[in-house]
Amino acid sequence: MKRTIIFVLIFIVIGLVLGYVIFGRISGEYIDIRAIFTNSDNVLESLGRSITGLKEIKQNILISGGVGGVLGLIISLIRK
């Protein structure tokens, strides 16, 4: 069980990193990680995030982490 959790966590991190490398750019430059994982403080900031596509970028990166976690679980179960 402990080994499975370790595999899942490692693959989640790998998925998040790969998701950031693939999806974390706007206009050819990487976005600050804090800008991606912090929440909007007000309506204007939320609107700005929607216009720039930051919400979609955050969603794609989190999906990549989830896929990594599922892949880690599958690999861990196969290796048993």
Side-chain angles (χ1 to χ4, degrees):
M1 181 70 174
K2 183 178 177 183
R3 185 175 171 188
T4 303
I5 293 172
I6 292 172
F7 261 89
V8 170
L9 290 176
I10 289 172
F11 276 85
I12 286 174
V13 171
I14 291 171
L16 288 172
V17 169
L18 286 176
Y20 179 72
V21 168
I22 294 169
F23 300 112
R25 286 196 230 188
I26 292 180
S27 300
E29 293 187 23
Y30 285 105
I31 302 168
D32 185 28
I33 293 176
R34 288 174 289 186
I36 294 173
F37 292 108
T38 56
N39 291 328
S40 302
D41 292 334
N42 55 37
V43 175
L44 289 176
E45 189 175 338
S46 179
L47 180 63
R49 286 176 177 255
S50 294
I51 292 171
T52 59
L54 210 54
K55 284 186 177 183
E56 290 81 15
I57 290 171
K58 180 179 180 178
Q59 180 180 6
N60 289 337
I61 292 171
L62 292 176
I63 289 171
S64 298
V67 169
V70 170
L71 187 63
L73 179 66
I74 291 171
I75 290 173
S76 175
L77 294 175
I78 289 174
R79 291 191 63 168
K80 283 186 177 182

